[in-house]
């Protein structure tokens, strides 16, 4: 699954650590999601979407 | 937050270290006090059970880590390590057991080695995480 997390984060001038802290997860997790090594669960994807105030499909796309 | 700073990881280490101390000390004590082929008495059985209790403590600590680790990615890394360890242990002990069954020349493998073997499997699981998936986690 592809995602726009890195772009969305850069638009807000957030570091991976900032995003991790906002979501209450590790920076390692953010890095794994951004680099496509890990697809988040649906609950975590919803939390990410809520944080960016975007629908999930605006952040995560099919390969 | 770095993985090793996660509260569940810190709690795990706080549990792991004293349990390891109990295990090492009880193995040393049992080895020192119980002579080879000693008759089974309440003392020898009690001493021999102490390291077993420590092993149960390790298993409890690892189970608590999985329960308390609320970061799903870090939890996945830990679970993958445990799956690698379980697969390797099952593979080695099962094949060895069959060899023992059909070939008297194969030496008997004491069951004692199963848990240490699984722990070695955890280390190999960490290598699989690092080199197979590019992330080792920080849980040791």
């Amino acid at each position: 699954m592809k995602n726009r997390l890195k772009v969305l984060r850069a638009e807000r001038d957030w570091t991976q650590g900032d995003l991790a802290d906002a979501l209450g997860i590790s920076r390692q997790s953010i890095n794994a999601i951004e680099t496509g090594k890990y697809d988040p669960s649906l609950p975590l994807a919803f939390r990410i979407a809520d944080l960016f105030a975007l629908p999930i499909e605006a952040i995560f796309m099919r390969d | 937050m770095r993985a090793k700073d996660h509260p569940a990881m810190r709690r795990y280490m706080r549990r792991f270290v004293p349990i390891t101390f109990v295990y090492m000390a009880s193995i040393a004590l049992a080895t020192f006090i119980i002579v080879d082929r000693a008759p089974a008495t309440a003392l020898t059985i009690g001493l021999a059970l102490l390291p077993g209790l420590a092993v149960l403590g390790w298993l409890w600590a690892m189970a608590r880590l999985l329960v308390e680790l609320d970061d799903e990615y870090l939890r996945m890394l830990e679970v993958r390590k445990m799956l690698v360890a379980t697969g390797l242990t099952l593979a080695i002990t099962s094949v060895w057991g069959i060899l023992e069954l059909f070939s008297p020349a194969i030496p008997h493998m004491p069951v004692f080695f199963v848990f240490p073997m699984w722990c070695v499997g955890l280390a190999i699981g960490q290598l699989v995480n690092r080199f197979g998936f590019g992330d080792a986690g920080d849980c040791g």
Side-chain angles (χ1 to χ4, degrees):
Chain A
M1 193 165 67
K2 289 184 291 189
N3 69 75
R4 297 179 57 236
L5 213 52
K6 192 172 181 177
V7 174
L8 293 169
R9 184 169 59 74
E11 284 173 1
R12 287 155 181 80
D13 206 19
W14 290 349
T15 64
Q16 286 186 343
D18 294 335
L19 181 54
D21 289 343
L23 291 166
I25 60 177
S26 63
R27 191 200 58 75
Q28 214 171 329
S29 303
I30 298 296
N31 186 56
I33 295 169
E34 279 190 4
T35 53
K37 283 190 295 194
Y38 177 71
D39 291 333
S41 67
L42 206 47
L44 178 55
F46 271 116
R47 277 165 55 204
I48 293 170
D50 288 346
L51 186 66
F52 286 110
L54 289 169
I56 282 185
E57 59 269 28
I59 303 173
F60 298 97
M61 306 91 179
R62 293 182 189 85
D63 277 326
Chain B
M1 176 175 51
R2 291 180 307 170
K4 67 181 177 184
D5 295 330
H6 192 287
M9 295 286 195
R10 288 207 302 265
R11 275 195 296 273
Y12 172 71
M13 288 313 294
R14 278 203 302 271
R15 290 163 181 160
F16 181 86
V17 171
I19 292 171
T20 303
F21 177 77
V22 169
Y23 180 80
M24 304 294 277
S26 58
I27 286 277
L29 189 67
T31 306
F32 181 70
I33 291 180
I34 304 174
V35 294
D36 283 351
R37 299 181 187 282
T41 62
L43 176 69
T44 57
I45 292 173
L47 279 173
L49 280 177
L50 273 177
L53 289 174
V55 170
L56 293 182
W58 273 325
L59 292 172
W60 168 79
M62 284 185 263
R64 290 308 306 167
L65 173 66
L66 293 184
V67 170
E68 294 169 6
L69 198 52
D70 56 7
D71 185 308
E72 61 182 49
Y73 175 67
L74 298 181
R75 190 170 57 234
M76 185 272 294
L77 291 178
E78 292 308 309
V79 168
R80 187 156 60 201
K81 269 167 50 180
M82 292 178 187
L83 284 175
V84 168
T86 303
L88 284 173
T89 305
L90 282 174
I92 293 169
T93 53
S94 302
V95 172
W96 194 282
I98 292 167
L99 286 173
E100 270 188 44
L101 199 61
F102 292 107
S103 173
I106 300 294
H108 174 65
M109 181 196 291
V111 179
F112 167 80
F113 289 117
V114 170
F115 189 73
M117 191 184 301
W118 191 76
C119 292
V120 171
L122 286 180
I124 295 171
Q126 182 138 6
L127 293 176
V128 169
N129 274 343
R130 174 166 294 167
F131 297 109
F133 300 93
D135 207 337
D138 275 329
C139 205

